[in-house]
Amino acid sequence: MQGTDTAPIELFDPDFVRDPHPILARLRNEQPVREVLLPRGLKVWLVTRYEDVRAVLAAPSVSKNVRVAQELFERHNTNPEARRMFSDALSAHMLNSDPPDHTRLRRLVGKAFTARRIEELRPRIEEITEGLLGAMAGKDEVDLLDAFAFPLPITVICELLGVPQEDRDDFRTWSNTLLSGSRDIEMVSGAATAMAEYLTKLIADKRANPGDDMVTALVQARDEGDRLDENELVAMLFLLLVAGHETTVNLIGNGVLALLRHPDQLAALRADPSLLHGAIEEFLRYDGPVQLATFRFTTQPLAVGGTVIPEGEFLLVSLSSANRDPEKFAEPDRLDVTRPSGGHVAFGHGIHYCLGAPLARLEGEIAIGRLLSRFPELRLAAEPEELTWRVSTIIRGLETLPISPGRPAA
Ligand code: HEM
């Protein structure tokens, strides 16, 4: 019977991590709403069909209030050692809040992320892109993630916020650990503490030496208008930096891999660069960087796809699965850069729809467009089967992407 089968499913087995789509297709067909046990011992409901995913993301009775979530977490966790996974210092951000807190927090930064404001960053994003591509020219083989897909968005978000260059490597390490889905609880909470201490110090520095950056603007909003408290300030920076670090890298990485594995699509895009805009949407649909939306929970019984999920249960919705649902997308497993774009849920849906979507799209377009025009001979430098994917509850992305750039265009 639908929903009640709690036999383990292989959500984080090597087969799933390598290619989740066959397992997701089976779930959509057989058990579109069902309970699963996560690696750290938490029981959650997993939702996999497009319409159900959108309905859950838009349901006002589905909450993200982190304080209530902490209590529920303790009730639903089967592993007593994993009790404290939510770090208080980092958790008071918009993605962990319901209205009216969510509305207030999102409004504080909303203006800086509109498509128009983000478009002003274009020349700087192009400059960083050209610099990184220039450094790749002449090399036989490089890891595209390390040389290009990571440094580009990290540099952009750090410049926007005002995070010093020399601190960026530490930040990347902590951020990766926090999103790894690791069972090593000490390592995860160590990274959370280091991150919180770092951000607290950054805020103190900006108070003493204000700059023309977003951290300074938020510090001033905190100090003058009393519109967010100190905890919320730390958590806001944490969210923006982590979102800026962990996502766009995989739009670039997964997108380039998809193209290199589909030479006909690569040729079509090279022949008609006006397809690029739609191609970015297709990469987001085909293998988006965020496979599961973040935790939510029911505050009253919720009917989804014929199953009633009781009150006080955790929900995870699979964005990767929704984006391959044949009820919504014809031939969903086919990469097609000419597909009419739109409708995918790679950036989520509802009030938590990705704040950084305009920035991610612009970075993705500039990065992939310039990469293809700079390196006409670009090819994979590994067999696709040899590539390994990161083990993470949230993120869908490669560990490394070895490529051979070939001769640069004249
Ligand atoms: C291709 C890159 C990106 C993808 C695929 C992506 C995806 C997502 C998704 C799926 C959500 C909703 C999660 C949920 O409802 O559980 C989200 C929220 C969010 N994203 Fe992104 N993101 C990307 C880039 C960025 C960037 C560059 C930033 C900028 C700093 C950013 C900032 C945020 C913020 C602040 C939220 C929370 C919004 C809210 O709670 O109202 N994202 N993102």
Side-chain angles (χ1 to χ4, degrees):
M1 193 181 13
Q2 209 176 82
T4 55
D5 176 3
T6 52
I9 57 164
E10 301 71 25
L11 254 200
F12 298 94
D13 277 9
D15 279 350
F16 183 86
V17 173
R18 199 174 313 118
D19 181 8
H21 295 294
I23 295 174
L24 293 173
R26 181 164 51 76
L27 285 171
R28 273 194 311 270
N29 276 333
E30 294 170 11
Q31 296 173 305
V33 178
R34 64 156 289 175
E35 283 188 279
V36 296
L37 201 57
L38 296 184
R40 287 179 193 151
L42 187 67
K43 254 179 38 193
V44 302
W45 290 81
L46 180 68
V47 179
T48 44
R49 280 188 186 158
Y50 181 85
E51 283 307 331
D52 297 343
V53 162
R54 299 244 311 179
V56 168
L57 292 177
S61 69
V62 170
S63 171
K64 291 193 109 291
N65 181 322
V66 73
R67 282 178 296 279
V68 183
Q70 180 68 46
E71 289 161 29
L72 278 183
F73 180 78
E74 294 184 3
R75 208 181 318 147
H76 283 285
N77 208 303
T78 56
N79 173 7
E81 286 171 24
R83 291 278 137 122
R84 293 214 53 81
M85 293 311 293
F86 294 89
S87 162
D88 290 341
L90 300 175
S91 61
H93 55 66
M94 68 182 99
L95 193 50
N96 278 338
S97 314
D98 297 333
D101 285 338
H102 173 265
T103 323
R104 172 176 55 86
L105 293 170
R106 185 157 171 142
R107 198 176 289 144
L108 278 166
V109 285
K111 280 207 192 84
F113 285 94
T114 58
R116 187 186 297 179
R117 283 293 294 280
I118 290 300
E119 186 56 35
E120 292 168 13
L121 301 177
R122 182 184 284 275
R124 180 65 187 133
I125 299 176
E126 287 173 348
E127 189 180 19
I128 301 166
T129 302
E130 293 300 348
L132 294 167
L133 293 177
M136 271 163 51
K139 301 211 168 128
D140 288 342
E141 196 182 310
V142 290
D143 171 9
L144 191 74
L145 300 191
D146 217 42
F148 185 54
F150 262 117
L152 173 63
I154 289 178
T155 308
V156 173
I157 195 69
C158 287
E159 286 187 1
L160 196 61
L161 290 171
V163 173
Q165 179 88 36
E166 61 272 18
D167 301 338
R168 294 177 194 170
D169 284 349
D170 282 345
F171 205 93
R172 177 174 160 189
T173 311
W174 301 325
S175 175
N176 277 198
T177 304
L178 287 175
L179 272 83
S180 64
S182 165
R183 283 170 222 217
D184 185 338
I185 288 152
E186 239 164 65
M187 193 170 81
V188 173
S189 61
T193 307
M195 181 92 92
E197 283 172 5
Y198 171 76
L199 291 172
T200 306
K201 190 175 150 298
L202 181 67
I203 290 166
D205 286 351
K206 295 287 178 187
R207 260 199 189 107
N209 305 299
D212 180 19
D213 54 55
M214 206 184 293
V215 177
T216 303
L218 287 168
V219 169
Q220 286 167 354
R222 148 96 184 107
D223 294 351
E224 288 158 17
D226 204 19
R227 281 171 290 164
L228 74 171
D229 66 28
E230 193 79 10
N231 250 351
E232 289 173 337
L233 177 54
V234 172
M236 172 85 86
L237 299 180
F238 167 70
L239 175 65
L240 294 175
L241 278 164
V242 167
H245 269 65
E246 299 289 342
T247 51
T248 314
V249 49
N250 298 315
L251 165 57
I252 302 170
N254 299 358
V256 170
L257 175 65
L259 279 179
L260 294 176
R261 295 189 70 176
H262 296 86
D264 59 326
Q265 298 299 303
L266 176 58
L269 190 53
R270 283 195 190 283
D272 181 0
S274 74
L275 293 175
L276 184 58
H277 191 76
I280 297 294
E281 300 307 309
E282 177 66 349
F283 302 145
L284 285 161
R285 183 198 70 80
Y286 183 78
D287 227 348
V290 178
Q291 55 173 334
L292 288 167
T294 52
F295 284 105
R296 287 165 162 73
F297 60 89
T298 51
T299 60
Q300 47 182 262
L302 181 74
V304 195
T307 300
V308 177
I309 301 177
E311 175 193 336
E313 298 281 316
F314 278 113
L315 293 166
L316 279 178
V317 303
S318 171
L319 304 176
S320 299
S321 174
N323 284 337
R324 298 274 190 120
D325 187 338
E327 297 280 317
K328 170 70 184 171
F329 302 100
E331 293 188 80
D333 294 325
R334 196 160 70 82
L335 181 77
D336 177 2
V337 295
T338 66
R339 191 187 284 273
S341 63
H344 68 70
V345 287
F347 288 121
H349 175 63
I351 63 167
H352 295 283
Y353 180 83
C354 179
L355 176 80
L359 176 58
R361 287 185 161 120
L362 183 63
E363 289 175 340
E365 237 181 277
I366 294 173
I368 296 184
R370 294 290 168 110
L371 174 75
L372 296 185
S373 53
R374 183 76 163 256
F375 296 112
E377 300 169 358
L378 181 77
R379 59 176 182 78
L380 260 183
E383 292 303 321
E385 304 73 44
E386 291 168 5
L387 298 173
T388 51
W389 295 84
R390 284 172 59 183
V391 178
S392 163
T393 331
I394 299 176
I395 299 296
R396 167 91 182 141
L398 291 161
E399 300 268 9
T400 59
L401 179 53
I403 53 115
S404 158
R407 272 170 305 173

